Amino acid sequence: MRHIGLICTLLIANILMATRLTLSLTSSRSIIPPLLNHTRRSFFHPKQFPKSYSCPLWSSSFSFCLDTLHKSTSPLSFTSSSSPSCSSCSCSFSSMASSASLHDDVASNPLLQDFEFPPFDAVEPKHVQPGIRALLKKLESDLEELERNIEPSWSKLVEPLEKIVDRLSVVWGIVNHLKSVKDSAELRSAIEDVQPEKVKFQLRLGQSKPIYNAFKAIQESPDWQTLSEARKRIVESQIKEAVLNGVSLEDDKREHFNRIEQELEKLSQKFGENVLDATKKFEKLITDKNEIEGLPATALGLAAQSAVSKGHENATAENGPWVITLDAPSYIAVMQHARNRSLREEVYRAFVSRASGGELDNTEIIEQILKLRLEKAKLLNYNNYAEVSMATKMATVDKAEELLEKLRSASWDAAVQDIEDLKKFSKSQGASEADDLTHWDFAFWSERLRESKYDINEEELRPFFSLPKVTDALFSLVKTLFGIEIESVDGLAPVWNKDVRFYRVKDSSGSPIAYFYFDPYSRPSEKRQGAWMDEVFARSRVLARNGTSTRLPVAHMVCNQTPPVGNKPSLMTFREVETVFHEFGHALQHMLTKQDEGLVAGIRGVEWDAVELPSQFMENWCYHRETLMGIAKHYETGDSLPEEVYLKLVAARNFRAGSQSLRQIKFASVDLELHTKYVPGGQESIYDVDRRVSERTQVTPPFPEDRFLCSFSHIFAGGYAAGYYSYKWAEVLSADAFSAFEDAGLDNKKAVEETGHKFRETVLALGGGKAPLEVFVQFRGREPTPDALLRHNGLLSVPASA
């Protein structure tokens, strides 16, 4: 959910987390090489590897997930340590917690207890330092024992290694997750204090020559050909990741490499914190209703709730006062609906300049990150950091750039026409700014044009998209497609907030196969923006307990949609519906895996630029008539969405598709440029690069004071560095995969079920145990082609220019 260049982020995390990204892969041979690098996450990666799979920065309609990049404070995401079936998922730290050498307060630390599901409700900042330090001490001892007794065999190498990494993954995963959903100064401080020690251990593990040599011995043994494909991929991945981790560096270079990793970890965390703080810092109190004319009732209710939380106890949606923030639901509502142009300008300026000034300025942090990434690449004998990133992905730098240019040329004319349409329409409406439309006007007039052209007002459609109906329809769809049942089991597992739901996934026989948490609502004061999926526990044969054959997977899905207002349920925009489907696609790949090798189960070991396939695939069903009409029931009357409105939604799907495509291409192009050609400290600044790339990827030049790079968490605080192209790369795969259902006949229930079963048994079941191109061919019967994506976007026949 990058889903993300990210790999170089975390040694261990690599193996285990793939992501909630939104990548797109072009698959025709002309764009993508037929044989892609086997790039799975390795438990060796010392850098932090984003466990979250964030959605892309969609654009022009401003209905996008903002700053969705999960901070890579995550640990060595490798395996997780609790099994999801209540009888078999306890995390076995009891021997550690009961050790006589541990102080009582450590022995009672909830992070170190035997638990079936993480004690999210009990963990406090005060538990972090003693808990992590006790854990690291125990794991260091386990690692030393492994190295002393190591043998080049699965049982003597991979299995004990998986157990070591799993313990840290689970415990650090709890801490890191709470920082994302329940942030506080105390928690930040506690994490910052122990993070260097955690990274030191990760580096120690990732640079273990005994482990590296044992993996090489397995690869060179006579038994190599007898290994399963999944095991071969694990071995190959670990060898590659160990090298990228610096295992082959001489002592002085390795020490330099380790200093770089520690500093990058620190800078990445600080970058993300600055973005969060800058986002929270902006508040605009409005007392005159005329200033917020045009804002829909839902947005006014949210603004009043914000005002109440800021001490204005008597604030109401009707009479105010109202507080506007830069949190996604508030920001998007202003940009799309506020008639007050000066308010739009003020909010837009604040948004694009976040974390670019004062004590929260990320400019120098970006410089340092790019400088250190380049140094790291040189130490590893690569020309630039993008080459390091691509070493563990499907694409190469050239192939990624080739894809982006193909899509850019197909999108350009359509994007130019989008701007012309807005100018013409705004002029017809007598807008004073018609001859001078700029960045804070585009979303507003886009919505007015959408309403005029398709007679659709997204805000007026909210009553038809209540969260309970959306989840019911989603669960019904996956039952049809994949033969699974989902039931609420609230109370079975501790949660971090009263609004978090907990669910069990069962197969057709009624047996549990997975669990997941769902945290849907925006909480600006403590929860980072965006939407993501992350793993809590991964499926694993090695970590099975209590007589079970495998440990079941557990996931969590996090969104930032509009919360319930008053007695109304959460009423969603159609974009928020798409986001829930997207995140659930990531969760499905994690939960429905049939791969028992923990290091390549589910999203683990899936090449970063392919991991968005299931998530983007699920979005397509939001336009499927039966699915959408099953969702769209008025929350009060129960009336279905009128047929003509459904047809208009489908017709509006490609509204401004050229502009939205170009925006993603711009982000991906800037990312690659900064990680291939940019010279830190040279004559060109990062903002010069941004403007130069924009000349080819933005019809309207960027706002002069635009400092979006300072909040581009995907590449500076997460795992998408030199990997943002993955959104488009994987989008090609997902569109082509969905076209298999179109070919079978979307109205043919039997054909849909048969195709869904095949999708489950390949894309969702095989995990990282098979190369993604091979998985796709096994499902589709051929290599992928970008035609379906261009067709879905209405760009297939658009002539290229510019």
Side-chain angles (χ1 to χ4, degrees):
M1 221 80 154
R2 274 48 168 94
H3 21 241
I4 14 32
L6 60 166
I7 300 213
C8 297
T9 324
L10 215 250
L11 123 109
I12 311 186
N14 253 359
I15 247 211
L16 165 144
M17 294 314 258
T19 127
R20 163 284 78 90
L21 321 115
T22 313
L23 330 159
S24 274
L25 176 147
T26 15
S27 59
S28 73
R29 281 179 181 268
S30 62
I31 300 179
I32 286 152
L35 178 58
L36 300 86
N37 300 332
H38 296 345
T39 92
R40 282 131 338 277
R41 319 299 161 211
S42 129
F43 39 76
F44 282 167
H45 213 113
K47 274 260 349 169
Q48 290 185 288
F49 171 81
K51 298 170 74 170
S52 75
Y53 311 107
S54 2
C55 45
L57 297 173
W58 298 336
S59 179
S60 59
S61 67
F62 286 87
S63 45
F64 48 81
C65 297
L66 306 171
D67 291 340
T68 80
L69 226 298
H70 192 136
K71 184 51 224 56
S72 261
T73 357
S74 51
L76 344 158
S77 313
F78 182 115
T79 0
S80 304
S81 117
S82 267
S83 163
S85 92
C86 291
S87 62
S88 65
C89 47
S90 56
C91 194
S92 64
F93 297 122
S94 54
S95 60
M96 179 166 43
S98 61
S99 172
S101 65
L102 294 179
H103 193 276
D104 287 347
D105 61 348
V106 172
S108 62
N109 192 310
L111 290 171
L112 304 179
Q113 300 307 301
D114 226 358
F115 49 74
E116 291 181 308
F117 295 104
F120 287 119
D121 59 338
V123 176
E124 300 177 23
K126 67 181 181 181
H127 298 129
V128 173
Q129 294 169 347
I132 296 298
R133 287 186 172 130
L135 176 64
L136 291 174
K137 183 177 181 180
K138 177 65 167 63
L139 296 184
E140 182 72 31
S141 173
D142 291 347
L143 177 56
E144 290 172 357
E145 181 179 355
L146 170 60
E147 290 178 327
R148 282 194 303 270
N149 301 309
I150 203 162
E151 294 179 12
S153 68
W154 213 256
S155 62
K156 296 292 186 178
L157 170 62
V158 181
E159 293 181 2
L161 182 58
E162 180 175 347
K163 292 174 182 177
I164 290 173
V165 179
D166 190 77
R167 290 185 177 182
L168 182 55
S169 175
V170 170
V171 177
W172 188 265
I174 295 170
V175 171
N176 187 57
H177 176 65
L178 288 174
K179 183 176 183 293
S180 295
V181 297
K182 201 173 181 179
D183 186 44
S184 70
E186 294 78 15
L187 184 56
R188 284 187 189 184
S189 177
I191 291 175
E192 183 177 344
D193 189 52
V194 295
Q195 185 163 282
E197 299 166 50
K198 180 205 61 124
V199 175
K200 182 179 179 181
F201 176 77
Q202 291 175 249
L203 289 166
R204 158 88 170 82
L205 177 60
Q207 295 170 354
S208 170
K209 289 194 174 180
I211 291 176
Y212 172 68
N213 290 333
F215 271 111
K216 293 204 68 171
I218 288 178
Q219 188 179 44
E220 295 165 2
S221 75
D223 297 330
W224 172 250
Q225 294 303 327
T226 67
L227 292 184
S228 66
E229 184 175 5
R231 290 191 171 188
K232 286 181 179 179
R233 273 177 59 90
I234 288 171
V235 173
E236 292 166 348
S237 174
Q238 301 327 304
I239 292 172
K240 177 179 288 187
E241 291 292 346
V243 173
L244 292 176
N245 221 26
V247 70
S248 301
L249 296 177
E250 298 174 1
D251 290 347
D252 56 338
K253 290 185 177 181
R254 188 164 63 250
E255 289 176 7
H256 182 37
F257 180 95
N258 291 350
R259 287 195 297 272
I260 289 174
E261 292 293 80
Q262 286 280 12
E263 186 62 19
L264 281 172
E265 185 85 1
K266 189 186 307 180
L267 290 168
S268 176
Q269 178 165 315
K270 182 61 176 174
F271 184 100
E273 290 174 354
N274 284 350
V275 174
L276 178 60
D277 290 345
T279 301
K280 292 194 296 184
K281 188 176 181 180
F282 179 87
E283 295 175 8
K284 182 170 179 61
L285 178 66
I286 296 177
T287 57
D288 183 353
K289 194 166 188 175
N290 292 325
E291 291 188 36
I292 52 174
E293 182 185 357
L295 286 189
T298 304
L300 292 174
L302 184 61
Q305 280 191 177
S306 295
V308 170
S309 71
K310 304 300 179 183
H312 302 277
E313 298 178 0
N314 298 319
T316 65
E318 295 75 23
N319 303 313
W322 305 271
V323 169
I324 301 299
T325 71
L326 297 182
D327 198 50
S330 178
Y331 172 73
I332 293 171
V334 170
M335 298 312 299
Q336 288 184 331
H337 300 290
R339 296 191 178 280
N340 184 344
R341 193 185 187 210
S342 63
L343 175 62
R344 299 201 307 266
E345 178 180 357
E346 180 181 356
V347 173
Y348 178 84
R349 285 176 179 269
F351 184 78
V352 298
S353 62
R354 286 177 301 160
S356 65
E359 61 181 12
L360 300 178
D361 192 349
N362 273 336
T363 305
E364 183 56 31
I365 290 178
I366 293 174
E367 279 289 320
Q368 287 300 310
I369 287 174
L370 293 174
K371 176 176 176 291
L372 291 171
R373 285 175 178 168
L374 182 58
E375 284 185 29
K376 174 180 173 178
K378 298 291 188 182
L379 281 172
L380 295 173
N381 292 320
Y382 287 92
N383 293 315
N384 52 60
Y385 184 78
E387 291 182 358
V388 176
S389 170
M390 302 293 187
T392 50
K393 292 188 174 66
M394 296 178 72
T396 63
V397 174
D398 288 345
K399 289 298 180 183
E401 291 177 340
E402 184 179 342
L403 167 61
L404 293 176
E405 175 55 26
K406 181 181 181 70
L407 297 179
R408 187 203 69 82
S409 63
S411 304
W412 181 266
D413 284 357
V416 170
Q417 187 60 52
D418 288 342
I419 297 296
E420 291 303 312
D421 290 345
L422 287 187
K423 290 179 178 177
K424 182 178 179 180
F425 177 75
S426 60
K427 182 171 289 188
S428 73
Q429 300 301 302
S432 59
E433 67 265 28
D435 292 325
D436 189 32
L437 287 187
T438 190
H439 300 279
W440 46 84
D441 300 317
F442 295 146
F444 177 80
W445 286 108
S446 291
E447 285 307 298
R448 305 293 78 76
L449 177 56
R450 186 203 303 268
E451 293 166 2
S452 172
K453 190 171 184 178
Y454 303 103
D455 193 23
I456 290 178
N457 182 313
E458 284 203 349
E459 287 298 320
E460 293 179 359
L461 293 182
R462 279 186 187 267
F464 288 94
F465 298 122
S466 66
L467 179 59
K469 290 294 185 184
V470 170
T471 54
D472 285 349
L474 174 58
F475 297 165
S476 176
L477 172 67
V478 296
K479 179 180 181 180
T480 298
L481 292 178
F482 310 127
I484 58 175
E485 295 271 0
I486 298 174
E487 64 178 356
S488 171
V489 285
D490 290 332
L492 180 62
V495 295
W496 52 93
N497 183 278
K498 63 180 178 59
D499 292 326
V500 176
R501 303 292 309 278
F502 192 61
Y503 295 91
R504 175 161 47 214
V505 182
K506 299 186 295 185
D507 62 17
S508 56
S509 70
S511 300
I513 57 174
Y515 295 81
F516 68 96
Y517 303 82
F518 181 32
D519 183 355
Y521 308 132
S522 170
R523 296 190 298 275
S525 64
E526 64 177 10
K527 185 179 180 182
R528 71 178 176 85
Q529 294 190 43
W532 64 93
M533 170 269 167
D534 206 344
E535 78 167 41
V536 180
F537 306 136
R539 182 179 174 93
S540 172
R541 172 187 54 81
V542 171
L543 291 161
R545 290 166 54 91
N546 301 335
T548 59
S549 60
T550 55
R551 182 183 66 180
L552 302 183
V554 182
H556 57 63
M557 284 171 48
V558 183
C559 294
N560 265 288
Q561 66 196 51
T562 307
V565 176
N567 295 323
K568 297 179 180 179
S570 175
L571 301 179
M572 305 165 66
T573 66
F574 187 67
R575 300 304 177 188
E576 289 174 334
V577 174
E578 287 182 303
T579 297
V580 170
F581 273 61
H582 178 106
E583 299 309 330
F584 200 63
H586 283 299
L588 287 170
Q589 187 174 32
H590 176 65
M591 297 188 297
L592 300 190
T593 185
K594 293 187 176 180
Q595 177 58 255
D596 289 337
E597 294 294 343
L599 303 185
V600 289
I603 56 177
R604 295 183 182 181
V606 177
E607 279 74 349
W608 192 260
D609 39 11
V611 78
E612 285 298 324
L613 194 172
S615 57
Q616 294 177 148
F617 164 82
M618 286 300 296
E619 291 181 38
N620 289 284
W621 293 100
C622 294
Y623 295 90
H624 177 232
R625 187 187 184 284
E626 183 177 345
T627 301
L628 182 62
M629 298 305 276
I631 294 173
K633 308 288 186 183
H634 196 284
Y635 81 100
E636 289 180 316
T637 67
D639 293 342
S640 297
L641 187 74
E643 176 71 16
E644 62 269 20
V645 177
Y646 162 71
L647 295 175
K648 290 172 183 176
L649 271 176
V650 173
R653 182 178 185 178
N654 293 329
F655 180 65
R656 294 179 59 77
S659 296
Q660 295 189 44
S661 177
L662 269 193
R663 182 175 176 94
Q664 285 298 92
I665 292 165
K666 182 263 177 79
F667 291 144
S669 299
V670 168
D671 173 33
L672 284 181
E673 190 77 11
L674 289 173
H675 289 103
T676 53
K677 303 179 182 65
Y678 177 67
V679 179
Q683 292 184 335
E684 207 178 27
S685 74
I686 56 173
Y687 305 118
D688 292 334
V689 173
D690 189 29
R691 284 188 287 271
R692 176 162 52 77
V693 172
S694 296
E695 291 176 1
R696 297 179 61 256
T697 56
Q698 269 186 253
V699 176
T700 303
F703 180 56
E705 292 98 285
D706 188 322
R707 294 293 182 267
F708 176 74
L709 287 175
C710 287
S711 59
F712 199 177
S713 297
H714 286 72
I715 68 173
F716 296 120
Y720 286 85
Y724 197 91
Y725 76 90
S726 299
Y727 279 111
K728 302 308 292 181
W729 185 273
E731 199 175 342
V732 170
L733 285 177
S734 64
D736 200 353
F738 187 74
S739 70
F741 289 81
E742 295 174 322
D743 293 346
L746 291 174
D747 295 327
N748 184 333
K749 185 175 181 180
K750 182 179 179 181
V752 166
E753 289 176 350
E754 291 174 350
T755 309
H757 176 75
K758 189 174 183 181
F759 187 85
R760 177 181 176 180
E761 294 301 311
T762 53
V763 176
L764 300 181
L766 297 176
K770 183 185 283 287
L773 182 60
E774 295 175 20
V775 172
F776 185 90
V777 171
Q778 189 171 332
F779 167 65
R780 199 69 177 93
R782 57 166 174 75
E783 291 189 4
T785 163
D787 291 351
L789 174 62
L790 294 174
R791 174 170 53 82
H792 287 171
N793 288 345
L795 301 173
L796 191 59
S797 60
V798 175
S801 69

